[in-house]
Amino acid sequence: MACCCIAAPALAQEWPGKPVRILVGSAPGGGTDAMARAVADRLGPLLKQAVVVENKPGASNTLAADAVAKSTDGHTLLMGVSTAQAIAPHLLKLNYDSNKDLVPVAFVGSVPNVLVVNNALGANDVQSLVKLAKVKPGQLNYATSGAGSTQHIAAELFKESAGVFITHIPYRGSGPAMVDLIGGQVQMSFDTLPSVIGQIKAGKIKALAVAAPKRNAQLPDVPTLAESGVKGVEMSAWYGIYMPSSTPKAVQERVLAEVNKVLAMPETITRLEGIGAEITPMAQAKFQDFHNAEYKRFGDLIQRKNIKLD
């Protein structure tokens, strides 16, 4: 027994024995990618190893989750996101079990979804957008980072609450979706704040509302959807580090400790708050409880609203 007690801390100290990968389930330029890089940039020096972010977009962020769930090298992490960890399992047939093959390790934070539109659309507020959508049913398109994403669910809730019909155009990540939103190939999106804040501040797209209970400090002049007359559409994306469930507990604890150190650094706080994120590190057991609750909440919502993939 004494040997076991000594071995676990020793294993944590010896790990990592080679570069660490953090897989991201969407293309560069989106919220998940921004969160992963904010963590990776500061995590490497703490681990005394290179920490590399790899993008593996597709299938509602689940391709990366699938790869991590099946990894056996002991050095592959996932920047999990609510889309893949709590939503997609209720909508897709996956080749892994989100609740059994992956373990929540370190919670990072959350960001609200924001209703943004192409500048040429001619809608300056939510009600003018609703009016336009009713005049042109089915002719307005909304972009998402993939079917089953928080963007998708937020838009479906918006359609129901506002009584409009808009067409879903899924992309392989927020980056490609944003290119087409700016270019006018799609007219609107309910993307996460990190994915759009740079384009909003640059004047390339227009923010009409945040899908949150209160306004965001980065967009103080942008009202909530409720303030704009559309009730019941509150949506945010959350992010955290997941590892294969086979990962030794001592290594999980090491990752949690080091990620929490990164999240406490002033430069990390400034970087993440600058893209509208709320940083909320938590104990691993609390993250597990949060994961379970979110998995159930989205499952109930998807069933109740009869949300299906297009």
Side-chain angles (χ1 to χ4, degrees):
M1 181 65 72
C3 292
C4 294
C5 294
I6 295 170
L11 175 62
Q13 291 303 316
E14 292 169 2
W15 184 94
K18 61 180 182 178
V20 174
R21 298 187 301 154
I22 301 179
L23 268 57
V24 170
S26 57
T32 314
D33 184 70
M35 293 297 226
R37 294 181 190 278
V39 171
D41 287 351
R42 300 291 175 179
L43 186 59
L46 295 179
L47 295 178
K48 296 182 173 58
Q49 279 285 358
V51 177
V52 181
V53 174
E54 294 185 11
N55 299 85
K56 195 175 180 64
S60 299
N61 290 73
T62 62
L63 293 185
D66 182 78
V68 174
K70 294 174 180 175
S71 68
T72 58
D73 65 1
H75 291 72
T76 303
L77 285 58
L78 172 72
M79 178 54 77
V81 59
S82 44
T83 295
Q85 273 50 65
I87 300 174
H90 303 288
L91 296 169
L92 298 173
K93 184 177 180 180
L94 303 175
N95 295 318
Y96 67 97
D97 189 319
S98 180
N99 293 324
K100 294 180 180 179
D101 297 333
L102 292 165
V103 60
V105 175
F107 192 79
V108 175
S110 60
V111 296
N113 288 67
V114 185
L115 170 55
V116 291
V117 298
N118 176 269
N119 285 337
L121 184 60
N124 294 316
D125 53 42
V126 172
Q127 288 306 314
S128 61
L129 174 64
V130 170
K131 182 177 180 180
L132 184 61
K134 288 183 176 180
V135 171
K136 300 180 176 181
Q139 295 181 47
L140 299 186
N141 299 325
Y142 73 91
T144 72
S145 63
S149 60
T150 57
Q151 297 99 305
H152 184 192
I153 293 180
E156 291 302 309
L157 293 175
F158 176 82
K159 287 165 59 175
E160 179 184 64
S161 182
V164 297
F165 175 63
I166 49 181
T167 302
H168 181 205
I169 308 296
Y171 287 79
R172 291 169 64 87
S174 293
M178 198 51 45
V179 171
D180 277 6
L181 177 63
I182 294 170
Q185 285 79 16
V186 291
Q187 290 75 47
M188 56 188 290
S189 178
F190 283 83
D191 216 327
T192 56
L193 188 51
S195 301
V196 298
I197 191 165
Q199 310 298 348
I200 293 170
K201 292 190 172 182
K204 294 182 179 180
I205 54 175
K206 189 180 302 180
L208 300 189
V210 292
K214 60 181 181 180
R215 298 190 184 197
N216 188 274
Q218 293 298 316
L219 300 172
D221 297 327
V222 177
T224 67
L225 278 167
E227 288 176 322
S228 304
V230 179
K231 309 290 185 180
V233 187
E234 292 182 2
M235 187 62 61
S236 63
W238 51 261
Y239 308 87
I241 296 292
Y242 284 71
M243 300 182 75
S245 57
S246 60
T247 305
K249 186 65 175 176
V251 174
Q252 295 179 37
E253 291 171 350
R254 173 85 190 281
V255 171
L256 172 63
E258 303 298 3
V259 169
N260 282 348
K261 287 178 187 177
V262 171
L263 297 178
M265 293 177 180
E267 51 268 43
T268 304
I269 294 171
T270 299
R271 181 172 176 176
L272 292 181
E273 288 185 346
I275 55 175
E278 180 179 353
I279 306 170
T280 48
M282 58 181 71
Q284 187 175 9
K286 185 176 180 181
F287 185 13
Q288 180 68 67
D289 290 342
F290 175 83
H291 168 97
N292 294 342
E294 285 291 277
Y295 186 91
K296 183 179 186 304
R297 180 173 77 89
F298 277 111
D300 292 345
L301 174 63
I302 289 166
Q303 183 176 26
R304 185 170 68 252
K305 298 295 185 181
N306 194 32
I307 296 173
K308 300 182 184 298
L309 298 187
D310 296 337

